[in-house]
Amino acid sequence: MTSERKRLVHEFSQEIHDATAENVGDLLADYYHADAEWHGPEPINAVEGTDAIADAYWVPLLESFPDLEKNDYILFAGEFNGGEWVCATGNLVGTFENDWLDIPATGHATWLRYGEFHRVVDGQIAETRLLVDMLDVMRQAGYQFAPALAPEVVIPGPMTQDGVLLDEQDDEESEKTLQVVEGMIDGLHDYEEEGLDGMGLEKFWHEDFMWYGPAGTGTTRGIDGFQEYHQAPFLEAFPDREGGDHVARFAEGNYCASTGWPSVRATHLGDGWMGLPATEEPVEMRVMDFWRREGERLAENWVFIDKIDLLQQMGVDVFDRLRDDRQYF
């Protein structure tokens, strides 16, 4: 049952509040298959098995943020290519007491924005795809590596406060949401022939929609803000971008989500994105999107890009700069 899969993932999030570095391995064993796949952000990347997942991600995270909470503000489920998936996004919140992945502790409350997709098999998680906005954690610790064109904020949940869909949703509404998103994505490919004005964004987006981007880009409002502060600089830098290997894309109710590993392939051909000159090198991007439909069009979009991984392909080792205290590119 779809509702059982959703409750499994949501209950795991709630259990994190009582987890410690000492017992998180037992918690993972309750919710994950012993040989589960786990794919995370740079510099953690891929591991296999609950012991390795605990050692690579959860134990260091809980040692750094001992009072950690995991708050889903969007969670829903769907099927893709025969797999049964649950996706979620929200904020991990905790006091940054000890260094994490060489990011210096601040002693302050810190928000770790996450997006995740879980493939569930026989009542347990068999595969996880997870992105955490690492650049934003660094920003909160006082390290600013690139000038964002739009404000960098603690990203909120849906304006409607209805993103955790534990109950079954109407199939017709789910299909409608998926079709709006698919149409919007098809329109994005018109850039090469038609330019920004020919992409038809007004057919798919509310005039004042919110676009919640990753650190280094920021959050925009409305079609004009989206194009000026994200889309135009991004397309100038990566004009030949193409969709990549989608792991999952599905919709439930008014919500849709998609991820790929990579989701985008491109060549870095234009100067200026995140303050960097073009490298003319091919790059791949791990991306996650979560959308909320309102009526006939999209009203909100939460976006994750594994920028640490992307920047490394562009010749910038962010963690090396962090360790050397070298800010700005």
Side-chain angles (χ1 to χ4, degrees):
M1 290 288 291
T2 301
S3 58
E4 292 177 355
R5 300 200 310 269
K6 292 188 286 191
R7 293 184 188 281
L8 171 80
V9 172
H10 192 47
E11 287 172 6
F12 176 75
S13 292
Q14 295 174 315
E15 293 278 2
I16 289 299
H17 187 222
D18 295 322
T20 66
E22 290 72 29
N23 68 20
V24 71
D26 294 334
L27 178 64
L28 289 170
D30 290 338
Y31 287 89
Y32 276 79
H33 286 277
D35 59 351
E37 299 177 42
W38 190 95
H39 302 266
E42 180 71 32
I44 306 171
N45 296 304
V47 295
E48 184 173 329
T50 52
D51 290 343
I53 296 169
D55 291 343
Y57 179 65
W58 283 109
V59 169
L61 187 65
L62 288 164
E63 287 176 341
S64 297
F65 302 90
D67 59 351
L68 194 69
E69 295 183 17
K70 187 171 184 285
N71 301 317
D72 304 323
Y73 50 60
I74 293 174
L75 183 147
F76 58 95
E79 297 184 6
F80 186 80
N81 287 348
E84 297 181 336
W85 293 86
V86 178
C87 66
T89 184
N91 288 307
L92 292 151
V93 184
T95 307
F96 199 172
E97 294 189 6
N98 299 295
D99 295 357
W100 182 54
L101 302 175
D102 290 331
I103 304 173
T106 64
H108 296 304
T110 302
W111 287 258
L112 296 83
R113 180 175 175 242
Y114 65 86
E116 58 190 22
F117 283 67
H118 305 281
R119 183 170 56 86
V120 179
V121 177
D122 296 331
Q124 288 187 302
I125 298 169
E127 177 182 354
T128 290
R129 304 278 172 158
L130 170 73
L131 291 180
V132 175
D133 195 336
M134 297 287 191
L135 273 183
D136 194 58
V137 179
M138 296 178 186
R139 178 188 67 83
Q140 293 175 70
Y143 293 85
Q144 194 81 26
F145 292 99
L149 297 179
E152 296 171 299
V153 299
V154 175
I155 303 299
M159 294 180 184
T160 47
Q161 302 294 310
D162 62 355
V164 178
L165 309 182
L166 296 181
D167 297 325
E168 302 292 332
Q169 303 296 306
D170 182 85
D171 288 342
E172 291 185 4
E173 292 298 308
S174 302
E175 180 62 25
K176 182 176 181 179
T177 302
L178 183 61
Q179 291 306 313
V180 171
V181 169
E182 296 281 7
M184 178 272 297
I185 291 172
D186 287 343
L188 294 178
H189 297 305
D190 293 336
Y191 171 71
E192 290 84 353
E193 297 179 2
E194 306 292 339
L196 285 178
D197 293 338
M199 298 175 76
L201 296 185
E202 67 282 352
K203 293 186 294 186
F204 303 104
W205 298 96
H206 282 275
E207 183 179 358
D208 58 354
F209 82 96
M210 293 300 302
W211 188 86
Y212 307 111
T217 301
T219 288
T220 70
R221 181 169 175 82
I223 292 174
D224 290 345
F226 171 68
Q227 290 187 325
E228 181 175 359
Y229 300 120
H230 166 62
Q231 196 176 37
F234 183 82
L235 292 177
E236 184 174 344
F238 308 104
D240 64 345
R241 80 277 179 272
E242 295 181 353
D245 300 322
H246 285 96
V247 173
R249 180 182 293 162
F250 51 86
E252 189 176 20
N254 293 329
Y255 289 86
C256 183
S258 180
T259 191
W261 227 263
S263 183
V264 176
R265 291 186 172 89
T267 311
H268 185 209
L269 296 173
D271 295 332
W273 188 73
M274 294 192 70
L276 292 169
T279 63
E280 300 185 359
E281 295 292 333
V283 296
E284 298 179 343
M285 306 180 201
R286 304 166 180 170
V287 179
M288 287 184 184
D289 277 274
F290 299 80
W291 297 272
R292 181 179 69 84
R293 176 179 61 83
E294 190 172 288
E296 303 300 317
R297 291 177 291 176
L298 301 170
E300 295 180 275
N301 183 195
W302 295 260
V303 181
F304 295 82
I305 302 173
D306 189 347
K307 285 195 172 182
I308 304 296
D309 175 63
L310 175 57
L311 288 166
Q312 191 160 290
Q313 297 172 64
M314 295 161 63
V316 177
D317 187 327
V318 177
F319 276 93
D320 185 55
R321 285 178 170 269
L322 176 75
R323 287 186 285 268
D324 291 345
D325 199 20
R326 287 181 289 151
Q327 299 192 49
Y328 288 103
F329 303 141

